[in-house]
Amino acid sequence: FVNSPICCPSRSTILTGKYAHNTGVVNNSIDGNCSSESWQKYHEPFSVAALLKNEKDYVTFYAGKYLNQKHWIVDMPPTHLPANITILDNIQKHRLQSLLAVDEMMEKVVKKLEQLNLLENTYILFTSDNGFHIGQFTQPWDKRQPYDTDIRVPLFVSGPNIPRKNVESYPVSSVDLAPTILDLAGVNIPQYMDGKSFKKVLFSTNQAIFKKHLFVEYWGEGQKATVDTSCPWSYDGNVAVSPSCTSKTTPTRTK
């Protein structure tokens, strides 16, 4: 599961092992602390990649989209579905087409590891930062909601000492990924991390459930410092405004 079903807060949780209310990343805007100066100063130096590099001298890097890029915020009331269901079908079709590129990338990574004789000594974790709903619960298409469609994501893990083709039903979430990766690498898990390592669950088929509850939070897109009261959504320079919002007024900053 994910702890925040939206891009930047979820990715921040994956990188730090901390919930959104502890990273302060509440949405996809800079004012929402997404890759803000505060994030770069107080959280990025303690991300899982930085700890692997500093503690075990790993060569670490990010490929592709990091925390976030410009997002379009669209005005979609939760009770309105498009009159033509074909719109939803096309969105799903395009999502599946995009996933083909992910499949091709994973194939190339695995084959390269095989070529270098590193596959049997490499842990691979495959998951996502959020789910997506397309028409469920009379909602058009988006994420952010506390339903299975938005918070349940795949998690595949392979590597040394992990039983092949084993399926576990233990409830884990994004906040547990960073401490688990550190545990697999032999790095001490910092006490400030909210998540728990599920390394033992990966190595054995007889482990007791170590967690029975999951925490999910979403703080919304609004920030007092960036609210334009004439628009249905707030915005800042990092987020594109809904085309339906035609206001040209400057957001009012409140003290």
Side-chain angles (χ1 to χ4, degrees):
F1 293 87
V2 299
N3 304 107
S4 298
I6 182 174
C7 306
C8 202
S10 185
R11 293 169 190 166
S12 298
T13 291
I14 291 172
L15 290 170
T16 63
K18 295 192 287 187
Y19 292 118
H21 60 268
N22 285 329
T23 64
V25 181
V26 296
N27 58 44
N28 289 335
S29 69
I30 292 178
D31 276 3
N33 205 29
C34 180
S35 199
S36 65
E37 291 184 6
S38 174
W39 158 264
Q40 295 173 27
K41 181 178 180 180
Y42 296 109
H43 297 289
E44 193 169 55
F46 304 100
S47 66
V48 62
L51 292 173
L52 288 173
K53 180 179 179 180
N54 296 334
E55 298 293 331
K56 289 290 184 177
D57 202 29
Y58 274 86
V59 176
T60 62
F61 70 97
Y62 296 106
K65 198 172 183 180
Y66 180 37
L67 284 174
N68 209 40
Q69 293 172 334
K70 179 166 283 191
H71 269 57
W72 285 99
I73 294 181
V74 292
D75 181 12
M76 292 189 296
T79 56
H80 290 182
L81 284 173
N84 189 346
I85 199 69
T86 303
I87 295 175
L88 300 181
D89 290 340
N90 286 335
I91 290 174
Q92 175 66 355
K93 181 180 70 175
H94 293 155
R95 285 173 58 80
L96 294 176
Q97 289 172 340
S98 297
L99 280 175
L100 289 175
V102 179
D103 288 342
E104 292 168 355
M105 177 199 69
M106 287 303 303
E107 180 184 25
K108 291 178 180 178
V109 169
V110 171
K111 286 186 174 180
K112 189 64 176 181
L113 289 170
E114 287 180 330
Q115 179 185 340
L116 297 173
N117 294 319
L118 293 174
L119 184 60
E120 298 303 318
N121 194 38
T122 300
Y123 289 105
I124 299 175
L125 289 83
F126 182 94
T127 188
S128 180
D129 57 344
N130 56 253
F132 205 75
H133 59 258
I134 307 178
Q136 294 91 340
F137 303 103
T138 71
Q139 299 177 109
W141 56 92
D142 197 23
K143 40 210 170 187
R144 298 175 171 84
Q145 305 303 322
Y147 300 120
D148 253 21
T149 52
D150 296 24
I151 64 174
R152 185 186 289 268
V153 294
L155 174 60
F156 299 94
V157 185
S158 67
N161 301 315
I162 296 179
R164 294 178 180 270
K165 299 182 180 180
N166 186 46
V167 179
E168 298 289 355
S169 58
Y170 299 108
V172 298
S173 59
S174 302
V175 76
D176 302 316
L177 293 176
T180 300
I181 293 171
L182 294 177
D183 201 5
L184 290 170
V187 177
N188 291 330
I189 301 170
Q191 291 185 350
Y192 59 75
M193 286 191 172
D194 298 314
K196 304 295 182 183
S197 170
F198 53 89
K199 173 184 172 181
K200 291 182 179 179
V201 175
L202 294 175
F203 287 178
S204 174
T205 59
N206 298 311
Q207 283 293 320
I209 295 177
F210 78 109
K211 180 185 291 189
K212 295 183 179 180
H213 301 90
L214 299 171
F215 181 75
V216 178
E217 60 184 323
Y218 171 52
W219 293 73
E221 292 300 322
Q223 290 288 306
K224 288 184 177 180
T226 57
V227 170
D228 182 343
T229 56
S230 64
C231 290
W233 298 88
S234 61
Y235 67 93
D236 65 17
N238 192 47
V239 180
V241 186
S242 164
S244 65
C245 178
T246 58
S247 171
K248 302 298 183 182
T249 59
T250 302
T252 301
R253 292 191 175 274
T254 58
K255 296 182 180 179

